Amino acid sequence: LEVPAPSPEAKAKAEVADSLADLTAKAAQWFQQQLASDAGVAARAYLERRGVKPATRAQFALGFSLDSRTALRGHLKEATAERLLDAGLIGRSEDSETFDRFRGRLMFPIRDRRGRVVGFGGRALGDVQPKYLNSADGPLFDKGRLLYNLDQAGPAARKANRLIVVEGYMDVIGLAQAGIAEAVAPLGTAMTETQLGLAWRLVDEPILCFDGDAAGMRAATRAAMRALPLLKPGKTLKIATLPAGQDPDDICRTGGAAAFEAVLAAAVPLIDHVWASETAGLETATPERRAQGRLRLREAANGIADPDVKSLYQ
């Protein structure tokens, strides 16, 4: 079959994205240089406290943004302000003044499936809000359509037939350092339909692994309810719950990969998690209360688009 030629619009859009990706790649290299410099001593100390080894730091191209409103802009002086804005590297105030978007932060380059740096996540090292800041959405970066570490986790996931979705960048890095390479993370938001689709392209049953606190349980339930309408024969999720107060990085540092594997082994099927979350605290002493629980479960099942999966959930 003849491969269809890309439309002029699609070709132009791809060229713009490639041009912007050149800027983000240069920014990533500069951030790495700053982490290795005298200015990056606090960021390096944080990574050392978290047990991140130099080789792991290099593997994930971690960097540091200077606490300056103009340092990155000065380094990329050949680029116009509009291109830097489109690349998500600078911001613009109400009075049209431009400034470096990331200042005094530990930098996590975010790559697309092709391995291009398309954006960044920046972690504040002091008492600064927000604690984590992403690149602004634009022609190159769309946080709802990306998964952190997908480019490296993809081949490992296909080989292991397993994909683990954790909550944050450091969780992914801690697992990789422990020898578990098939981990990704959403970019500070609940899993979107597009992100679920990316995961399902790799494996049939991704494992969502959330913190064992109340916020983590709410995140697990939100992801489960968002996944329900999208289920298809063979395509589902498992939910793993971490001990309260611990994240994957904590578990791997104290108990190694074996301790985290035990958490994954206890993962429950999606339907079991939905049942537990929808019936938690339900009073069953009267027919009316039992009917209320049944109604909630029926509503959850009725949201499934695939008729075969829907009927079996019902």
Side-chain angles (χ1 to χ4, degrees):
L1 295 176
E2 183 178 352
V3 178
S7 67
E9 294 81 5
K11 186 176 181 181
K13 186 176 179 180
E15 288 174 350
V16 168
D18 286 340
S19 174
L20 295 177
D22 288 340
L23 283 178
T24 50
K26 291 177 181 177
Q29 291 175 351
W30 189 73
F31 289 143
Q32 285 182 275
Q33 293 169 5
Q34 305 319 304
L35 180 62
S37 73
D38 291 343
V41 62
R44 293 197 303 274
Y46 170 80
L47 292 172
E48 288 169 5
R49 289 195 302 272
R50 295 295 299 263
V52 178
K53 299 175 182 177
T56 307
R57 194 172 85 192
Q59 177 187 347
F60 287 90
L62 302 183
F64 175 68
S65 57
L66 298 180
D67 192 6
S68 164
R69 294 174 65 88
T70 60
L72 179 62
R73 176 76 193 274
H75 177 69
L76 299 175
K77 55 184 179 291
E78 77 282 357
T80 65
E82 293 305 318
R83 289 187 68 221
L84 291 171
L85 282 165
D86 286 344
L89 296 174
I90 66 172
R92 176 176 281 161
S93 64
E94 293 181 358
D95 59 3
S96 297
E97 180 187 0
T98 59
F99 53 88
D100 287 3
R101 182 173 177 83
F102 300 100
R103 303 183 298 279
R105 291 176 178 268
L106 177 64
M107 301 298 293
F108 301 84
I110 299 166
R111 299 183 175 90
D112 62 10
R113 284 178 294 172
R114 293 166 52 186
R116 301 181 306 172
V117 176
V118 294
F120 297 90
R123 187 196 190 281
L125 295 173
D127 187 15
V128 178
Q129 295 299 324
K131 183 178 178 181
Y132 281 94
L133 178 68
N134 286 329
S135 296
D137 284 352
L140 187 62
F141 183 78
D142 183 345
K143 65 183 178 183
R145 304 180 68 85
L146 295 162
L147 287 169
Y148 179 66
N149 196 46
L150 184 63
D151 61 313
Q152 296 189 92
R158 290 191 179 94
K159 184 176 180 180
N161 194 30
R162 182 177 74 173
L163 183 71
I164 306 158
V165 182
V166 291
E167 291 196 42
Y169 307 124
M170 291 302 297
D171 297 326
V172 169
I173 291 170
L175 289 176
Q177 192 163 267
I180 301 173
E182 62 275 16
V184 297
L187 307 181
T189 58
M191 287 282 285
T192 66
E193 288 85 351
T194 301
Q195 289 169 331
L196 287 166
L198 290 172
W200 275 324
R201 289 180 67 170
L202 292 171
V203 299
D204 289 340
E205 293 188 7
I207 304 171
L208 307 191
C209 188
F210 293 94
D211 293 348
D213 57 14
M217 296 306 295
R218 286 195 299 270
T221 299
R222 284 197 303 270
M225 301 310 287
R226 180 163 285 179
L228 277 177
L230 309 175
L231 300 180
K232 296 183 182 301
K235 296 289 186 181
T236 185
L237 300 173
K238 287 186 175 180
I239 309 292
T241 305
L242 295 162
Q246 291 189 292
D247 59 29
D249 187 33
D250 294 329
I251 293 172
C252 288
R253 279 191 291 160
T254 56
F260 189 73
E261 290 288 355
V263 171
L264 298 180
V268 300
L270 178 64
I271 190 169
D272 290 352
H273 179 85
V274 172
W275 177 278
S277 64
E278 292 300 293
T279 60
L282 181 69
E283 293 286 344
T284 59
T286 67
E288 292 82 3
R289 291 297 188 185
R290 289 198 299 274
Q292 182 183 31
R294 183 175 292 185
L295 177 61
R296 288 168 58 178
L297 290 165
R298 185 178 291 119
E299 288 174 347
N302 285 343
I304 301 172
D306 184 89
D308 291 329
V309 178
K310 177 193 289 188
S311 66
L312 291 168
Y313 264 71
Q314 288 170 335

